Amino acid sequence: MATMSRSGYGSDDEDSTPAMRRLRRLSLHLLQPSDRPAPEGANSLVPAACAGRRRAGGLDADAAALTAYLRGRHRATQDRLYRFFVERPELHTPVELPMAAHRELCFRQMAALVREAGVRPLSLMADDPDEYFAVMEAVGGLDISLAVKFGVQYSLWGGSIINLGTKKHREKYFDKIDNLDYPGCFAMTELHHGSNVQALQTTATFDSVTDEFIIDTPNDGAIKWWIGNSALHGKFATVFARLILPLQGKGGEPADMGIHAFIVPIRDLETHAVLPGIEINDCGHKIGLNGVDNGALRFRSVRIPRDNLLNRFGDVARDGKYTSSLPTINKRFAATLGELVGGRVSLAYSSVGILKVAVTIAVRYALLRQQFGPPKQPEISVLDYQSHQHKLMPMLASAYALHFARRYLVDKYSEMKKTNDEDISADVHVLSSGLKSYITSYTAKSISICRESCGGHGYAAVNRFGGLRNDHDIFQTFEGDNTVLLQQVAGDLLKQYQQKFKGGTLSVTWNYLRDSMSTYLSQPNPVTARWEGEDHLRDPKFQLDAFRYRTSRLLHSVAARLQKHMKTLGGFGAWNRCLNHLLTLAESHVEAVILARFIEAVKR
Amino acid sequence: MATMSRSGYGSDDEDSTPAMRRLRRLSLHLLQPSDRPAPEGANSLVPAACAGRRRAGGLDADAAALTAYLRGRHRATQDRLYRFFVERPELHTPVELPMAAHRELCFRQMAALVREAGVRPLSLMADDPDEYFAVMEAVGGLDISLAVKFGVQYSLWGGSIINLGTKKHREKYFDKIDNLDYPGCFAMTELHHGSNVQALQTTATFDSVTDEFIIDTPNDGAIKWWIGNSALHGKFATVFARLILPLQGKGGEPADMGIHAFIVPIRDLETHAVLPGIEINDCGHKIGLNGVDNGALRFRSVRIPRDNLLNRFGDVARDGKYTSSLPTINKRFAATLGELVGGRVSLAYSSVGILKVAVTIAVRYALLRQQFGPPKQPEISVLDYQSHQHKLMPMLASAYALHFARRYLVDKYSEMKKTNDEDISADVHVLSSGLKSYITSYTAKSISICRESCGGHGYAAVNRFGGLRNDHDIFQTFEGDNTVLLQQVAGDLLKQYQQKFKGGTLSVTWNYLRDSMSTYLSQPNPVTARWEGEDHLRDPKFQLDAFRYRTSRLLHSVAARLQKHMKTLGGFGAWNRCLNHLLTLAESHVEAVILARFIEAVKR
């Protein structure tokens, strides 16, 4: 949130510390100039070039309409939150802040949002996900740490209650999570297992005598690691653990029922003391997001009531009997993880917001900054250089395209939440994996290019690229490592491909593949076949055809390669042998989806 | 500098704070295991996989020989400095440190290096540049801020005295710069002019009455900006300014003699108070390198004696008459900037060191970290995944290739310093531009890939990717923006190309172009012409031919395009129209140079 004064350097401001003067000078250099007359004195910096460009094209009216179209129906909500925080400077995150103070500030920011600005995030998440994501983006404008801590509290801890629990859990926890009386954590990742959730080792053993589960960390590798909100503020954690039922396995052995989620109180509600049997260590400094208190949790025979099992997809009765509407461990695991898709949607959403901020700063600066020029003529804006245009303009166009892709993703997600339709769910699962991966990788690369394109001034902390990059970096990893998520997309495409040959139908987003694949062998490559000059190359229909043809071709060829290697290497080996091919396929598909949404949006 | 204890988690260590335990756990996960027996207790983490791999190939003996070959003749110097700093924990930079404390620590680190470890960096720079760069790399292992502050003090401030001054300057300043009695700055960049040094606006006007120069900052845009060592510690600054001789221009106007360098005292030698007429503001927090005190300098009629002109390439006599061994402003400017090439050499050198650190961390972790695997079998190392190999293995190979390229660069630079040969100087100028640009861009991208490939644990601050990336980031910008430097390479190639057609000779590094270009029109593309299967594709001679053919082709084609556009757009417009083509040409050339050095080194 830019809070830099716009008053000109050289004016008689009350605030004349060196730091403030520096800020003011830089702000003149970087911010869009206002329409105020220039400050007195011939020595002032004159940022006229950018202002002139802005006015020259008469774009202001269009820009307003475009902004309204882009920002959609929750613009008022976001503006209200921006105003709320602008008026509370004590809640702004300074450039330098020790980790401990940053964490406390971050909690105060969230408390102010809930208790003073009156936002009820969990209710929004349940009733209007679209507005929920808009709120998350707005609080990310104050501090990305806040957006992530907010995401832990509501998307993850709150979301686990809503999506994996049943009525009894909602009644007991919903309101107190919503009003922040119950800060909580989402304890899935372990030191030795991040991506491979199915191999988590923490156990929850049912004790039929006391009607309790006993939570245990069997070894150091099973310590819950990176758990946000746990080092300082969490009162509860949703712990993912293998459900063990003693005596119910073969030959009276314990039966391992697979991964389930359990509510585990970790701190005393009154004294905030860590509860017995629980050890919490601090994960310490991170590259960014140091306002979030990540911790490591170890459990030593921690007993919780049977009711604390989040039992939507599987339950244990008083007598220890297991029941579930789903027949196998794998199906229950898929259903459990499937409900957590909201986290990925929110990351894709926030990442687009961060991309917009970075591109805006870089493009504005490129207009203002002048360097070199033709002999004996004024210097030209660096944006006039071909190399600079090639760096920034595709990024600007992509920011629009990705904006519409996230719009589509959120609409689908909202529809899924409303209808519980299975086809839409499957679609959202893969779409969110693909877009989260593609968008966060793109944004991460772009922030670095933006920094570099702003030269030395891009390296000043106040100009934000460092903070944006450091905070955003982990978006590529959490809620699913990008390389792993792309494989899920590829796997789904292959499943659809096989179903096609078995005569099945394709899911909604993939519909285009049916057409592409049907004609694949008969139809020539659109790039070579239909070349008709510039008009043709600029035709969106042709462009989309080319993108889809590429995907179809990659899908067809990787399926053949997999089949070939399967015989000698087995399924896992064949997959690994073709891994780069598969990742290219997934990216190609995601790009085709993004382009389709972009073309649709431009038409509107 | 890794100072983490290697003792195992679970052992009865004296130091049992949560932070130390966390560090120990992580160190087990990330560091190469020692040959000590595993610590007691079944709960300990077992990092056997990596150790097993290391031993399996019997590579240890070869590794020692390779290390000796790679680290070269200054290994002992580096090891001595590592030991010196390891034994001084109070000089280690902690993970969290406020900027003000970091700056003071950084000065103490440098003072200890000079006054306790007895290093004389300026003498090394003058007598044995190769050892100087090795020292710089070693201190960068303690803190990259220290390496950069060291570079400001010695390569830049000291280098300006040695390279731009004459005997009188050496006598007065050399020893006191070397022993750190005279900390100093290099004040070239201004707020409005970074890359375009020739357009700097600060003036130095000769006053023949008092036999002094008067230094002035004519407007805010001319404030010297980002000047390292100036916010806190500098006593002097080498200021780049336009030399103005009153009454000597046309019609009695002042004559602008172009950019010259002047020694300007900025703080009192006794009291350290900022001197009259000088205003120093703090540039504040940066993305990284916060141990370096960058400041902004403004001069208001600051008078310095005539002797303070660094007069190697141009001098002013007592009567105000200007003399120079070089005939034009442009030649003097080129000679002045040409002497500063050492800064670029040191950045290319240090950047390779940083790349090695990042790649080592990532590869070790990829061997240790296991995730997923074939059904019912143990999980496999993430380095066994094709996608991971494609991320890290080319980077590892490049680290070797770039190591040999920097070796070559330093040798050439040392030769230049010894011989003052003009051809070698021209060669070093372009070679250092190309390698600095290529290497720092490559390292910057690689650090991000390394972080991502280490997943969540890569995001922990102790694992260094964040610090490396933030500190290294600006290597792409300072001492010449990478995009600008590549254009110098392209410009030089074109000059050589034109000379060839005029019958001139080519400079040393470019020799291959003579052969390539001579046969360009008659000889077929080596890639299509000589395809003979795997053996041929692996033949270094073929590979180098292919790289050189690409450069020749790009050079030939861009020369034709430039000529075409020149007619309608003029020189500047034509250059800009072909800018991406030119940058590709420059990169292609640098890659051919790197490959040639790599092949040569592998042969040895």
Side-chain angles (χ1 to χ4, degrees), chain A residues 9 22 96 193 196 220 282 285 379 469-470 473, chain B residues 9 22 96 193 196 220 282 285 379 459 469 473:
Chain A
Y9 176 72
R22 181 173 51 77
E96 177 170 300
H193 288 97
N196 191 0
D220 281 8
D282 196 319
H285 290 83
E379 293 187 300
R469 177 169 56 198
N470 287 337
D473 190 10
Chain B
Y9 177 73
R22 180 173 52 78
E96 177 170 300
H193 288 97
N196 191 1
D220 281 8
D282 196 319
H285 290 83
E379 293 186 300
Y459 198 59
R469 177 169 56 199
D473 190 10

PDB file of all heavy atoms in Angstrom, chain A residues 9 22 96 193 196 220 282 285 379 469-470 473, chain B residues 9 22 96 193 196 220 282 285 379 459 469 473:
ATOM      1  N   TYR A   9       9.657  17.501  -3.711  1.00  0.00           N
ATOM      2  CA  TYR A   9      10.912  17.799  -3.048  1.00  0.00           C
ATOM      3  C   TYR A   9      11.191  19.288  -3.226  1.00  0.00           C
ATOM      4  O   TYR A   9      11.017  19.848  -4.284  1.00  0.00           O
ATOM      5  CB  TYR A   9      12.045  16.995  -3.680  1.00  0.00           C
ATOM      6  CG  TYR A   9      13.388  17.333  -3.096  1.00  0.00           C
ATOM      7  CD1 TYR A   9      13.707  16.921  -1.821  1.00  0.00           C
ATOM      8  CD2 TYR A   9      14.287  18.100  -3.822  1.00  0.00           C
ATOM      9  CE1 TYR A   9      14.922  17.243  -1.277  1.00  0.00           C
ATOM     10  CE2 TYR A   9      15.515  18.419  -3.283  1.00  0.00           C
ATOM     11  CZ  TYR A   9      15.829  17.995  -2.011  1.00  0.00           C
ATOM     12  OH  TYR A   9      17.038  18.309  -1.478  1.00  0.00           O
ATOM     13  N   ARG A  22      14.126  11.626   1.056  1.00  0.00           N
ATOM     14  CA  ARG A  22      14.491  10.599   0.089  1.00  0.00           C
ATOM     15  C   ARG A  22      13.256   9.936  -0.498  1.00  0.00           C
ATOM     16  O   ARG A  22      13.124   9.746  -1.700  1.00  0.00           O
ATOM     17  CB  ARG A  22      15.370   9.553   0.787  1.00  0.00           C
ATOM     18  CG  ARG A  22      15.853   8.431  -0.092  1.00  0.00           C
ATOM     19  CD  ARG A  22      16.840   7.555   0.664  1.00  0.00           C
ATOM     20  NE  ARG A  22      16.325   7.124   1.958  1.00  0.00           N
ATOM     21  CZ  ARG A  22      15.429   6.144   2.125  1.00  0.00           C
ATOM     22  NH1 ARG A  22      14.964   5.506   1.092  1.00  0.00           N
ATOM     23  NH2 ARG A  22      15.021   5.820   3.327  1.00  0.00           N
ATOM     24  N   GLU A  96      11.612  -2.046   7.557  1.00  0.00           N
ATOM     25  CA  GLU A  96      12.422  -2.897   8.438  1.00  0.00           C
ATOM     26  C   GLU A  96      11.639  -3.237   9.689  1.00  0.00           C
ATOM     27  O   GLU A  96      11.126  -2.349  10.367  1.00  0.00           O
ATOM     28  CB  GLU A  96      13.724  -2.199   8.840  1.00  0.00           C
ATOM     29  CG  GLU A  96      14.547  -3.032   9.811  1.00  0.00           C
ATOM     30  CD  GLU A  96      15.949  -2.484  10.037  1.00  0.00           C
ATOM     31  OE1 GLU A  96      16.701  -2.396   9.060  1.00  0.00           O
ATOM     32  OE2 GLU A  96      16.261  -2.141  11.187  1.00  0.00           O
ATOM     33  N   HIS A 193       7.707 -35.517   4.572  1.00  0.00           N
ATOM     34  CA  HIS A 193       6.697 -35.657   3.522  1.00  0.00           C
ATOM     35  C   HIS A 193       5.912 -34.383   3.308  1.00  0.00           C
ATOM     36  O   HIS A 193       5.184 -33.931   4.194  1.00  0.00           O
ATOM     37  CB  HIS A 193       5.754 -36.829   3.821  1.00  0.00           C
ATOM     38  CG  HIS A 193       6.448 -38.143   3.635  1.00  0.00           C
ATOM     39  ND1 HIS A 193       7.008 -38.847   4.683  1.00  0.00           N
ATOM     40  CD2 HIS A 193       6.748 -38.832   2.496  1.00  0.00           C
ATOM     41  CE1 HIS A 193       7.605 -39.934   4.197  1.00  0.00           C
ATOM     42  NE2 HIS A 193       7.464 -39.958   2.896  1.00  0.00           N
ATOM     43  N   ASN A 196       4.093 -35.876  -0.991  1.00  0.00           N
ATOM     44  CA  ASN A 196       3.531 -37.219  -0.857  1.00  0.00           C
ATOM     45  C   ASN A 196       2.706 -37.341   0.427  1.00  0.00           C
ATOM     46  O   ASN A 196       3.108 -37.981   1.402  1.00  0.00           O
ATOM     47  CB  ASN A 196       4.654 -38.254  -0.876  1.00  0.00           C
ATOM     48  CG  ASN A 196       4.131 -39.676  -1.008  1.00  0.00           C
ATOM     49  OD1 ASN A 196       2.912 -39.889  -1.080  1.00  0.00           O
ATOM     50  ND2 ASN A 196       5.021 -40.644  -1.034  1.00  0.00           N
ATOM     51  N   ASP A 220      11.340 -38.410  14.033  1.00  0.00           N
ATOM     52  CA  ASP A 220      11.628 -37.007  13.715  1.00  0.00           C
ATOM     53  C   ASP A 220      11.111 -36.597  12.341  1.00  0.00           C
ATOM     54  O   ASP A 220      10.688 -35.460  12.137  1.00  0.00           O
ATOM     55  CB  ASP A 220      13.151 -36.760  13.740  1.00  0.00           C
ATOM     56  CG  ASP A 220      13.668 -36.619  15.158  1.00  0.00           C
ATOM     57  OD1 ASP A 220      12.887 -36.871  16.096  1.00  0.00           O
ATOM     58  OD2 ASP A 220      14.854 -36.246  15.313  1.00  0.00           O
ATOM     59  N   ASP A 282       9.967 -23.403  16.768  1.00  0.00           N
ATOM     60  CA  ASP A 282       9.792 -22.306  15.822  1.00  0.00           C
ATOM     61  C   ASP A 282      10.563 -22.620  14.543  1.00  0.00           C
ATOM     62  O   ASP A 282      11.734 -22.977  14.606  1.00  0.00           O
ATOM     63  CB  ASP A 282      10.332 -21.031  16.479  1.00  0.00           C
ATOM     64  CG  ASP A 282       9.863 -19.775  15.784  1.00  0.00           C
ATOM     65  OD1 ASP A 282       9.840 -19.770  14.537  1.00  0.00           O
ATOM     66  OD2 ASP A 282       9.506 -18.816  16.489  1.00  0.00           O
ATOM     67  N   HIS A 285      13.325 -17.890  10.690  1.00  0.00           N
ATOM     68  CA  HIS A 285      13.262 -16.940   9.573  1.00  0.00           C
ATOM     69  C   HIS A 285      13.090 -17.648   8.239  1.00  0.00           C
ATOM     70  O   HIS A 285      13.714 -18.662   7.975  1.00  0.00           O
ATOM     71  CB  HIS A 285      14.539 -16.113   9.517  1.00  0.00           C
ATOM     72  CG  HIS A 285      14.653 -15.147  10.636  1.00  0.00           C
ATOM     73  ND1 HIS A 285      15.119 -15.508  11.875  1.00  0.00           N
ATOM     74  CD2 HIS A 285      14.330 -13.833  10.714  1.00  0.00           C
ATOM     75  CE1 HIS A 285      15.104 -14.458  12.676  1.00  0.00           C
ATOM     76  NE2 HIS A 285      14.618 -13.421  12.007  1.00  0.00           N
ATOM     77  N   GLU A 379      17.064  12.482 -24.444  1.00  0.00           N
ATOM     78  CA  GLU A 379      17.057  11.047 -24.171  1.00  0.00           C
ATOM     79  C   GLU A 379      15.635  10.491 -24.318  1.00  0.00           C
ATOM     80  O   GLU A 379      14.658  11.223 -24.177  1.00  0.00           O
ATOM     81  CB  GLU A 379      17.575  10.806 -22.747  1.00  0.00           C
ATOM     82  CG  GLU A 379      19.057  11.159 -22.609  1.00  0.00           C
ATOM     83  CD  GLU A 379      19.627  10.764 -21.260  1.00  0.00           C
ATOM     84  OE1 GLU A 379      19.112  11.270 -20.244  1.00  0.00           O
ATOM     85  OE2 GLU A 379      20.554   9.960 -21.228  1.00  0.00           O
ATOM     86  N   ARG A 469       8.807 -10.377  -4.382  1.00  0.00           N
ATOM     87  CA  ARG A 469       9.439 -11.632  -4.811  1.00  0.00           C
ATOM     88  C   ARG A 469       9.639 -12.590  -3.643  1.00  0.00           C
ATOM     89  O   ARG A 469       9.336 -13.775  -3.744  1.00  0.00           O
ATOM     90  CB  ARG A 469      10.786 -11.350  -5.477  1.00  0.00           C
ATOM     91  CG  ARG A 469      11.511 -12.637  -5.870  1.00  0.00           C
ATOM     92  CD  ARG A 469      12.707 -12.373  -6.749  1.00  0.00           C
ATOM     93  NE  ARG A 469      13.625 -11.457  -6.101  1.00  0.00           N
ATOM     94  CZ  ARG A 469      14.570 -10.775  -6.746  1.00  0.00           C
ATOM     95  NH1 ARG A 469      14.699 -10.889  -8.044  1.00  0.00           N
ATOM     96  NH2 ARG A 469      15.368  -9.963  -6.089  1.00  0.00           N
ATOM     97  N   ASN A 470      10.147 -12.056  -2.522  1.00  0.00           N
ATOM     98  CA  ASN A 470      10.412 -12.917  -1.374  1.00  0.00           C
ATOM     99  C   ASN A 470       9.121 -13.501  -0.795  1.00  0.00           C
ATOM    100  O   ASN A 470       9.080 -14.669  -0.419  1.00  0.00           O
ATOM    101  CB  ASN A 470      11.165 -12.138  -0.298  1.00  0.00           C
ATOM    102  CG  ASN A 470      12.610 -11.894  -0.693  1.00  0.00           C
ATOM    103  OD1 ASN A 470      13.173 -12.619  -1.509  1.00  0.00           O
ATOM    104  ND2 ASN A 470      13.210 -10.862  -0.126  1.00  0.00           N
ATOM    105  N   ASP A 473       7.523 -15.997  -3.565  1.00  0.00           N
ATOM    106  CA  ASP A 473       8.354 -17.133  -3.961  1.00  0.00           C
ATOM    107  C   ASP A 473       7.727 -18.492  -3.603  1.00  0.00           C
ATOM    108  O   ASP A 473       7.617 -19.407  -4.437  1.00  0.00           O
ATOM    109  CB  ASP A 473       9.714 -16.964  -3.273  1.00  0.00           C
ATOM    110  CG  ASP A 473      10.771 -17.928  -3.774  1.00  0.00           C
ATOM    111  OD1 ASP A 473      10.524 -18.605  -4.775  1.00  0.00           O
ATOM    112  OD2 ASP A 473      11.841 -17.999  -3.149  1.00  0.00           O
TER     113      ASP A 473
ATOM    114  N   TYR B   9      20.652 -34.793  16.089  1.00  0.00           N
ATOM    115  CA  TYR B   9      19.502 -34.521  16.931  1.00  0.00           C
ATOM    116  C   TYR B   9      19.284 -35.722  17.837  1.00  0.00           C
ATOM    117  O   TYR B   9      19.388 -36.860  17.420  1.00  0.00           O
ATOM    118  CB  TYR B   9      18.265 -34.299  16.076  1.00  0.00           C
ATOM    119  CG  TYR B   9      17.031 -34.092  16.909  1.00  0.00           C
ATOM    120  CD1 TYR B   9      16.848 -32.909  17.596  1.00  0.00           C
ATOM    121  CD2 TYR B   9      16.088 -35.108  17.012  1.00  0.00           C
ATOM    122  CE1 TYR B   9      15.728 -32.735  18.368  1.00  0.00           C
ATOM    123  CE2 TYR B   9      14.966 -34.936  17.779  1.00  0.00           C
ATOM    124  CZ  TYR B   9      14.785 -33.744  18.466  1.00  0.00           C
ATOM    125  OH  TYR B   9      13.674 -33.564  19.227  1.00  0.00           O
ATOM    126  N   ARG B  22      16.581 -27.008  16.121  1.00  0.00           N
ATOM    127  CA  ARG B  22      16.038 -26.915  14.775  1.00  0.00           C
ATOM    128  C   ARG B  22      17.171 -26.866  13.749  1.00  0.00           C
ATOM    129  O   ARG B  22      17.162 -27.562  12.733  1.00  0.00           O
ATOM    130  CB  ARG B  22      15.192 -25.643  14.670  1.00  0.00           C
ATOM    131  CG  ARG B  22      14.552 -25.406  13.329  1.00  0.00           C
ATOM    132  CD  ARG B  22      13.604 -24.216  13.398  1.00  0.00           C
ATOM    133  NE  ARG B  22      14.238 -23.035  13.962  1.00  0.00           N
ATOM    134  CZ  ARG B  22      15.074 -22.235  13.298  1.00  0.00           C
ATOM    135  NH1 ARG B  22      15.355 -22.484  12.054  1.00  0.00           N
ATOM    136  NH2 ARG B  22      15.594 -21.184  13.894  1.00  0.00           N
ATOM    137  N   GLU B  96      19.010 -12.586  11.275  1.00  0.00           N
ATOM    138  CA  GLU B  96      18.258 -11.328  11.417  1.00  0.00           C
ATOM    139  C   GLU B  96      19.163 -10.257  11.990  1.00  0.00           C
ATOM    140  O   GLU B  96      19.784 -10.468  13.034  1.00  0.00           O
ATOM    141  CB  GLU B  96      17.046 -11.512  12.327  1.00  0.00           C
ATOM    142  CG  GLU B  96      16.301 -10.201  12.554  1.00  0.00           C
ATOM    143  CD  GLU B  96      14.959 -10.393  13.255  1.00  0.00           C
ATOM    144  OE1 GLU B  96      14.103 -11.105  12.705  1.00  0.00           O
ATOM    145  OE2 GLU B  96      14.795  -9.831  14.347  1.00  0.00           O
ATOM    146  N   HIS B 193      21.102   9.536 -14.226  1.00  0.00           N
ATOM    147  CA  HIS B 193      21.975   8.876 -15.183  1.00  0.00           C
ATOM    148  C   HIS B 193      22.779   7.757 -14.547  1.00  0.00           C
ATOM    149  O   HIS B 193      23.613   8.004 -13.689  1.00  0.00           O
ATOM    150  CB  HIS B 193      22.891   9.883 -15.884  1.00  0.00           C
ATOM    151  CG  HIS B 193      22.127  10.735 -16.841  1.00  0.00           C
ATOM    152  ND1 HIS B 193      21.665  11.989 -16.514  1.00  0.00           N
ATOM    153  CD2 HIS B 193      21.665  10.465 -18.089  1.00  0.00           C
ATOM    154  CE1 HIS B 193      20.973  12.478 -17.538  1.00  0.00           C
ATOM    155  NE2 HIS B 193      20.951  11.571 -18.505  1.00  0.00           N
ATOM    156  N   ASN B 196      24.033   5.810 -18.876  1.00  0.00           N
ATOM    157  CA  ASN B 196      24.553   6.854 -19.762  1.00  0.00           C
ATOM    158  C   ASN B 196      25.512   7.772 -19.002  1.00  0.00           C
ATOM    159  O   ASN B 196      25.189   8.920 -18.688  1.00  0.00           O
ATOM    160  CB  ASN B 196      23.383   7.650 -20.350  1.00  0.00           C
ATOM    161  CG  ASN B 196      23.840   8.574 -21.480  1.00  0.00           C
ATOM    162  OD1 ASN B 196      25.022   8.609 -21.827  1.00  0.00           O
ATOM    163  ND2 ASN B 196      22.898   9.319 -22.047  1.00  0.00           N
ATOM    164  N   ASP B 220      18.435  18.286  -8.973  1.00  0.00           N
ATOM    165  CA  ASP B 220      18.172  17.054  -8.209  1.00  0.00           C
ATOM    166  C   ASP B 220      18.548  15.796  -8.979  1.00  0.00           C
ATOM    167  O   ASP B 220      18.994  14.807  -8.398  1.00  0.00           O
ATOM    168  CB  ASP B 220      16.682  16.959  -7.855  1.00  0.00           C
ATOM    169  CG  ASP B 220      16.318  17.844  -6.675  1.00  0.00           C
ATOM    170  OD1 ASP B 220      17.187  18.634  -6.245  1.00  0.00           O
ATOM    171  OD2 ASP B 220      15.181  17.746  -6.190  1.00  0.00           O
ATOM    172  N   ASP B 282      20.754   9.187   3.094  1.00  0.00           N
ATOM    173  CA  ASP B 282      20.862   7.734   3.151  1.00  0.00           C
ATOM    174  C   ASP B 282      19.940   7.117   2.103  1.00  0.00           C
ATOM    175  O   ASP B 282      18.763   7.466   2.030  1.00  0.00           O
ATOM    176  CB  ASP B 282      20.461   7.286   4.566  1.00  0.00           C
ATOM    177  CG  ASP B 282      20.901   5.861   4.862  1.00  0.00           C
ATOM    178  OD1 ASP B 282      20.772   4.997   3.968  1.00  0.00           O
ATOM    179  OD2 ASP B 282      21.365   5.617   5.987  1.00  0.00           O
ATOM    180  N   HIS B 285      16.959   1.146   2.885  1.00  0.00           N
ATOM    181  CA  HIS B 285      16.937  -0.306   2.713  1.00  0.00           C
ATOM    182  C   HIS B 285      16.932  -0.697   1.252  1.00  0.00           C
ATOM    183  O   HIS B 285      16.239  -0.113   0.442  1.00  0.00           O
ATOM    184  CB  HIS B 285      15.698  -0.897   3.382  1.00  0.00           C
ATOM    185  CG  HIS B 285      15.760  -0.830   4.865  1.00  0.00           C
ATOM    186  ND1 HIS B 285      15.415   0.298   5.559  1.00  0.00           N
ATOM    187  CD2 HIS B 285      16.127  -1.744   5.785  1.00  0.00           C
ATOM    188  CE1 HIS B 285      15.574   0.085   6.856  1.00  0.00           C
ATOM    189  NE2 HIS B 285      16.005  -1.143   7.034  1.00  0.00           N
ATOM    190  N   GLU B 379      10.688 -44.840  -1.199  1.00  0.00           N
ATOM    191  CA  GLU B 379      10.663 -43.614  -1.989  1.00  0.00           C
ATOM    192  C   GLU B 379      12.025 -43.376  -2.633  1.00  0.00           C
ATOM    193  O   GLU B 379      13.049 -43.847  -2.144  1.00  0.00           O
ATOM    194  CB  GLU B 379      10.292 -42.433  -1.089  1.00  0.00           C
ATOM    195  CG  GLU B 379       8.856 -42.532  -0.569  1.00  0.00           C
ATOM    196  CD  GLU B 379       8.449 -41.292   0.197  1.00  0.00           C
ATOM    197  OE1 GLU B 379       9.089 -40.979   1.207  1.00  0.00           O
ATOM    198  OE2 GLU B 379       7.486 -40.646  -0.227  1.00  0.00           O
ATOM    199  N   TYR B 459      12.972 -22.626   1.409  1.00  0.00           N
ATOM    200  CA  TYR B 459      12.442 -21.306   1.787  1.00  0.00           C
ATOM    201  C   TYR B 459      12.907 -20.887   3.183  1.00  0.00           C
ATOM    202  O   TYR B 459      12.706 -19.750   3.598  1.00  0.00           O
ATOM    203  CB  TYR B 459      10.912 -21.349   1.722  1.00  0.00           C
ATOM    204  CG  TYR B 459      10.225 -19.995   1.659  1.00  0.00           C
ATOM    205  CD1 TYR B 459      10.487 -19.098   0.623  1.00  0.00           C
ATOM    206  CD2 TYR B 459       9.291 -19.615   2.618  1.00  0.00           C
ATOM    207  CE1 TYR B 459       9.838 -17.870   0.551  1.00  0.00           C
ATOM    208  CE2 TYR B 459       8.634 -18.391   2.553  1.00  0.00           C
ATOM    209  CZ  TYR B 459       8.921 -17.525   1.513  1.00  0.00           C
ATOM    210  OH  TYR B 459       8.273 -16.306   1.442  1.00  0.00           O
ATOM    211  N   ARG B 469      20.079 -14.835  -3.347  1.00  0.00           N
ATOM    212  CA  ARG B 469      19.339 -14.181  -4.444  1.00  0.00           C
ATOM    213  C   ARG B 469      19.235 -12.678  -4.225  1.00  0.00           C
ATOM    214  O   ARG B 469      19.463 -11.887  -5.142  1.00  0.00           O
ATOM    215  CB  ARG B 469      17.940 -14.786  -4.580  1.00  0.00           C
ATOM    216  CG  ARG B 469      17.119 -14.079  -5.659  1.00  0.00           C
ATOM    217  CD  ARG B 469      15.846 -14.823  -5.980  1.00  0.00           C
ATOM    218  NE  ARG B 469      15.048 -15.017  -4.784  1.00  0.00           N
ATOM    219  CZ  ARG B 469      14.087 -15.916  -4.667  1.00  0.00           C
ATOM    220  NH1 ARG B 469      13.806 -16.704  -5.688  1.00  0.00           N
ATOM    221  NH2 ARG B 469      13.407 -16.028  -3.547  1.00  0.00           N
ATOM    222  N   ASP B 473      21.214 -10.240  -6.737  1.00  0.00           N
ATOM    223  CA  ASP B 473      20.292  -9.647  -7.710  1.00  0.00           C
ATOM    224  C   ASP B 473      20.889  -8.450  -8.451  1.00  0.00           C
ATOM    225  O   ASP B 473      20.864  -8.366  -9.687  1.00  0.00           O
ATOM    226  CB  ASP B 473      19.018  -9.232  -6.944  1.00  0.00           C
ATOM    227  CG  ASP B 473      17.880  -8.828  -7.850  1.00  0.00           C
ATOM    228  OD1 ASP B 473      17.988  -9.033  -9.074  1.00  0.00           O
ATOM    229  OD2 ASP B 473      16.880  -8.302  -7.333  1.00  0.00           O
TER     230      ASP B 473
END
